[in-house]
Structures are given as C-alpha cells and as structure tokens.
Amino acid sequence: MGARRLPLLSAACALLALALVLAGDPYREDCRNKTYPPSGPTYKGNVPTYVINLDLPPYKRWVNVMNDKKTELKNVMKNIKTLVNEFFPGGKFSDFVEGKMVQLLSSLPHPFREEIEGIANTSGAVLGDVVLFNVFYEIFTVCTSVVAEDKTGKLYHARNLDFGLFLGWDIKNSSWTVTQQLKPLVVALEFQRNNKTLFRSANFAGYIGMLSGVRPGAFTLTMNERFSIDGGYLGILEWILGKRDGMWMGFLTRTVLENSTSYEEAKEKLAKTRLLAPAYFILGGNKSGQGCVITRSRAASLDIWDLDIKQGTWFLVETNYDRWKPPLFLDNRRDPAKKCLNQTKQENLSLSTIYDVLSTKPVLNKLTVCTTLMAVDGGHTETYLRECPEPCSPW
Ligand SMILES: *[C@@H]1O[C@H](CO)[C@@H](O)[C@H](O)[C@H]1NC(C)=O
Ligand SMILES: *[C@@H]1O[C@H](CO)[C@@H](O)[C@H](O)[C@H]1NC(C)=O
Ligand SMILES: *[C@@H]1O[C@H](CO)[C@@H](O)[C@H](O)[C@H]1NC(C)=O
Ligand SMILES: *[C@@H]1O[C@H](CO)[C@@H](O)[C@H](O)[C@H]1NC(C)=O
Ligand SMILES: *[C@@H]1O[C@H](CO)[C@@H](O)[C@H](O)[C@H]1NC(C)=O
Ligand SMILES: *[C@@H]1O[C@H](CO)[C@@H](O)[C@H](O)[C@H]1NC(C)=O
Ligand SMILES: *[C@@H]1O[C@H](CO)[C@@H](O)[C@H](O)[C@H]1NC(C)=O
Ligand SMILES: *[C@@H]1O[C@H](CO)[C@@H](O)[C@H](O)[C@H]1NC(C)=O
C-alpha cells in the first residue's frame, strides 16, 4: 500500500463536505451523450465471468473464483483491518470482531455457512474476515438503481454500485482506498443447476449474497442500502447477541434469485420477509408495467412504488433515500439521474442511453466501483469497471 490514508470519518471528509457546501455543487455536469460502448477515462475495463455450479456441495462452489481472487480478497481485508485499527488502536477491537464473526457464522442457514467456510478454505483468508466481508455490504453500500420500460414494453434495469464511503481517503490519489481495491474483485457470475443457467449476477469475489442479478425471462433485482436509525448496526448487534429473527438482505436477494420463479413471487418475498436491516429492493419483471421499488423497514414494507406507464411513470430511480423525502442536500444523485432520463425520453431508452445516465456526475462519483446493465430478455447483463477522474464528487 504505502499510500497515506486517513481512517473512517476523517478530517478530509469533513473538509470535502464543507467545500461542497461553500461551493454549491461543483461536480454537476450536463447529461452525458454517446458514452456507450464504454471507453475513455471513466471506463476501467470489463470483468471476468465464472460459472457457479449449484449442483456442487456449497463448500466447493467458489473454488474457481477464489483460486483466482484470493490475493485481492486478502488485500482488501488487510486494508479494512488497518483502517479499523487506526480508529480503535491496539488491535483489540478487530480481534473482538473477528471472534464474534466466527460465532455469527454458526448461526447462518444452509447453504450460506458452508459457502463461506469453503471460501475461507480456498483463499486461505481468516474465517472471521470472510464473514465480515459478507456482512459489510449491509452497511456501506450507496448506489443508484434504475428500472425503466421502453415504448415497446421492454424492461431494462441498471445500477451503479458505489461502495467504500468513509473507508480510507487516499490523499495522494484523491480516491477511496477500499473502492479502488474492490475493483479487481468484481466478477460476473452465472449460477447453474443441471447445466442450465438459473440466474446471473455482478458481484464481489468472496461475497455470496447478491447486490444485482437477473433471472432470465422472469425478473431483475438490485438492492440499495437504506439508512435509518433502526439501521443495519442495530440488527447486526441483535443478531450477534442472539436475537435472530431477521434475514440478511444479501442472502434474501440470493434466495429470491435462486428460488423464485416469477416477478410476483419475488415481489412478495422481498416485501414480506423480516430483515436485519432496512433496505430498498428494486425489481423489474418481464412484461409492461412490472417494475417497482420496495422500501423496507426491518419488519415490513413501507412503500411499494410501481411503474405506471399510463400516468407517464416509465422509469423509477432509487438512490439511498425514501422517495417521499428529499435526498440529503450533500448527496443528490437522484435528481440528476431523473433529469437525464427525462431528457433521454422513453422513445430513446436503451441500455446505451441508460449507460449515459449512469456516466453523468455525480451519479458517477468516486465511490462508483462498477456499472451493471441488465435486460430481462435472455437474462442479458453487462458489467463495466468505472473511474471518476477529477473534478469528481467524493460520493
Ligand atoms: C492510485 O490509484 C491507482 C489505481 O487507480 C493505483 O494503481 C496507485 O497505486 C495509487 N497510488 C497510490 C500512491 O496509492
Ligand atoms: C446531450 O444531448 C442533450 C439533448 O440533445 C443536450 O441537451 C445535452 O447538452 C447533451 N450533453 C452533452 C454533454 O453534450
Ligand atoms: C480445507 O479443507 C481441507 C479438506 O476439507 C482440509 O484438509 C484443509 O485443512 C482445509 N484448509 C484450511 C486452510 O482450512
Ligand atoms: C453437465 O454437462 C457435462 C458435460 O458438459 C456433463 O458431464 C454433466 O454430467 C452434466 N451435468 C448434469 C447435472 O447434467
Ligand atoms: C433454494 O432451494 C433449494 C431447494 O429447496 C435449496 O436447497 C437451496 O438451499 C435454496 N437456495 C437458497 C439460496 O436458499
Ligand atoms: C414471464 O414470467 C412468467 C413467470 O416466470 C412466465 O410464466 C412467462 O412466460 C414470462 N413471460 C415472458 C414473456 O417471458
Ligand atoms: C421529469 O419529468 C417529469 C414529468 O415530465 C417531471 O414531473 C419531473 O419533475 C422531471 N424531473 C426532473 C428531475 O427533471
Ligand atoms: C433519439 O436519438 C436520436 C439520435 O440518437 C435523435 O435524433 C432523436 O432526436 C432522439 N429522439 C428523442 C425523442 O429524443
């Protein structure tokens, strides 16, 4: 590493925030056009594809992925531990977390526990670290998701995956160290049973939940973090303390992609299953009008926002705020995304125009790890690694 880093919520973040307030928002730009096919300084490459064979015992499923990505996984975990130790010096806290994580593992249901054990075994990473890596996304993911329908009734679903907020600001590079280190871990996955593809996803190697995925011909799904007082921290704490009546959101999305066969069934499961942490689920179906954003508290669905083509609602944009509330004034990615989709118009909607929207700052920002584009027809997915050169919003 060697780069100079600052731990967690640091002076640098506070200064950046202050600069944003004083300067208005210097990072806005006009809606981008013709950025697709991806090229230029905001594009950092494609990602490799792996088949995950669900007919194998869970312990063996991730061997190929982890053989290739073990070094990168260990690097990011090492960095996270260093950051935590800078914040809680002495190393006691991270030892404590590591120990708790191993205990936590024994309470995870099949097949998740076995898959995590297999990943630790293949990669040689510390078991507690692999568990932590799988818990992480319940807390630090800020994203933009779009589900939209074109004039012919075809559905598209896309997202920017923004990750690593407050996880080590690299002053020299002016980038988030964890965000940078996650890029080489991004993989496209094809989950098969009986040699048939059940679903595809874009993911981080070592993470067994699902952040974005498509079940060919049936539905598309992404999840975004929802900040709330009764947030992930509390649920995870309760889980550690033994109150285990909620499900990890990443494991719920995985279960839905693996075992739900229709849009309606997926919607029902995502709306009703008790969760550890609040979340937004963005779901697209396979016919006109099938698209929604489900706003979840831990216990219940607070709101289901559906596409409504007749009323002119042909797209839905979700970032990390309830749709009935204004976004945090420092972090308004929602209005720029909506503005650009409005400008695109339904007639011109396609994966390439959606890529334009997701390439416009600050929808694209320094936390953006990758962009995933999906179409339910044929279960099409494309994932591109991203970079946001200066001037660029830190989130
Ligand atoms: C800056 O980031 C690039 C990747 O974008 C990395 O290769 C390089 O090592 C980083 N530089 C420092 C000083 O960390
Ligand atoms: C993209 O096209 C729209 C509509 O034609 C235009 O308003 C906008 O300024 C263009 N953006 C850029 C960056 O050229
Ligand atoms: C991985 O599993 C194999 C067989 O189950 C076992 O022999 C080996 O010791 C394990 N390795 C690690 C690092 O846990
Ligand atoms: C999957 O295909 C391979 C050959 O491509 C075959 O050897 C294997 O038996 C098949 N597995 C199943 C479960 O059908
Ligand atoms: C999906 O269902 C199968 C069969 O009931 C089960 O073995 C598997 O564990 C389920 N998958 C998940 C991720 O829960
Ligand atoms: C949409 O999904 C349902 C449930 O999986 C399926 O029965 C139907 O054939 C699908 N329709 C299309 C057009 O793919
Ligand atoms: C987008 O267009 C809709 C309907 O024309 C309008 O209600 C909405 O305010 C527009 N949003 C933005 C951000 O321009
Ligand atoms: C759609 O895009 C084409 C060229 O890319 C442009 O000529 C046309 O005006 C656009 N249509 C709308 C409705 O914006």
Side-chain angles (χ1 to χ4, degrees):
M1 283 298 309
R4 200 164 131 57
R5 282 161 325 201
L6 291 174
L8 304 178
L9 180 53
S10 60
C13 298
L15 281 176
L16 281 165
L18 187 65
L20 279 176
V21 177
L22 295 177
D25 194 342
Y27 302 114
R28 290 271 179 112
E29 62 181 1
D30 280 348
C31 299
R32 299 292 308 272
N33 298 320
K34 304 197 166 67
T35 58
Y36 187 94
S39 67
T42 66
Y43 164 66
K44 287 295 272 185
N46 292 355
V47 304
T49 301
Y50 293 87
V51 171
I52 304 297
N53 182 354
L54 294 170
D55 296 320
L56 287 175
Y59 197 78
K60 300 252 163 83
R61 288 175 186 167
W62 298 91
V63 167
N64 292 341
V65 178
M66 291 329 298
N67 276 339
D68 289 355
K69 298 293 185 185
K70 54 187 165 201
T71 311
E72 290 83 353
L73 177 64
K74 280 186 277 192
N75 279 346
V76 70
M77 288 317 303
K78 199 168 124 205
N79 181 18
I80 289 166
K81 221 185 273 182
T82 311
L83 292 168
V84 169
N85 286 341
E86 280 170 24
F87 206 66
F88 300 98
K92 282 228 171 59
F93 182 74
S94 61
D95 291 350
F96 169 80
V97 170
E98 215 160 69
K100 281 295 171 198
M101 286 297 147
V102 175
Q103 284 175 25
L104 197 150
L105 180 70
S106 60
S107 62
L108 291 183
H110 175 91
F112 305 118
R113 192 187 57 198
E114 296 87 338
E115 288 189 13
I116 288 178
E117 284 169 348
I119 286 169
N121 183 300
T122 316
S123 65
V126 179
L127 185 58
D129 286 357
V130 181
V131 182
L132 184 61
F133 191 70
N134 275 273
V135 167
F136 231 64
Y137 301 96
E138 311 271 325
I139 306 175
F140 285 106
T141 330
V142 291
C143 301
T144 303
S145 290
V146 174
V147 60
E149 177 173 331
D150 74 7
K151 278 284 183 199
T152 69
K154 209 172 155 191
L155 283 148
Y156 299 101
H157 192 151
R159 74 121 95 244
N160 273 358
L161 184 56
D162 302 351
F163 191 86
L165 186 59
F166 303 145
L167 293 173
W169 181 254
D170 178 342
I171 295 172
K172 254 197 220 146
N173 249 353
S174 109
S175 62
W176 299 100
T177 53
V178 171
T179 308
Q180 290 299 350
Q181 284 185 317
L182 281 170
K183 288 178 193 175
L185 279 173
V186 180
V187 288
L189 301 174
E190 200 162 317
F191 288 79
Q192 298 188 345
R193 200 180 273 152
N194 296 322
N195 283 345
K196 206 173 142 271
T197 297
L198 279 191
F199 64 102
R200 298 196 174 90
S201 85
N203 232 357
F204 296 115
Y207 180 62
I208 62 172
M210 292 295 129
L211 303 166
S212 349
V214 53
R215 182 139 175 143
F219 60 86
T220 52
L221 172 61
T222 57
M223 75 173 185
N224 290 8
E225 152 136 39
R226 177 167 178 261
F227 304 101
S228 113
I229 310 274
D230 180 20
Y233 305 94
L234 197 58
I236 290 164
L237 195 64
E238 283 182 6
W239 182 282
I240 292 173
L241 295 176
K243 183 164 175 278
R244 291 177 185 148
D245 57 350
M247 195 163 178
W248 300 87
M249 35 178 193
F251 295 166
L252 175 60
T253 49
R254 163 82 186 269
T255 304
V256 164
L257 279 160
E258 194 168 312
N259 285 341
S260 294
T261 55
S262 69
Y263 174 76
E264 288 81 6
E265 188 188 338
K267 193 172 175 181
E268 165 100 10
K269 283 247 169 61
L270 295 167
K272 301 213 167 133
T273 308
R274 206 182 151 79
L275 291 173
L276 276 188
Y280 301 101
F281 296 118
I282 302 88
L283 184 67
N286 68 3
K287 62 172 190 251
S288 177
Q290 286 186 336
C292 65
V293 175
I294 302 169
T295 303
R296 283 292 315 260
S297 72
R298 290 166 63 193
S301 133
L302 300 179
D303 179 64
I304 297 183
W305 180 24
D306 288 298
L307 286 176
D308 188 345
I309 307 303
K310 284 207 189 86
Q311 296 297 314
T313 308
W314 56 273
F315 68 80
L316 305 173
V317 172
E318 179 56 53
T319 59
N320 301 91
Y321 303 97
D322 296 343
R323 66 153 161 147
W324 57 90
K325 290 185 192 153
L328 186 66
F329 72 104
L330 277 179
D331 176 32
N332 189 354
R333 289 162 284 130
R334 179 167 75 191
D335 289 327
K338 280 186 173 172
K339 187 183 116 198
C340 295
L341 281 159
N342 270 0
Q343 262 183 33
T344 301
K345 302 208 176 62
Q346 197 182 7
E347 294 82 321
N348 272 5
L349 184 73
S350 65
L351 288 182
S352 87
T353 51
I354 295 176
Y355 188 82
D356 287 339
V357 174
L358 293 175
S359 301
T360 301
K361 296 168 193 172
V363 181
L364 179 76
N365 58 67
K366 288 211 180 271
L367 290 170
T368 307
V369 175
C370 61
T371 298
T372 297
L373 309 173
M374 304 186 279
V376 72
D377 284 349
H380 180 84
T381 66
E382 299 168 28
T383 295
Y384 303 102
L385 297 177
R386 305 307 301 265
E387 185 82 25
C388 192
E390 300 285 353
C392 177
S393 171
W395 51 75

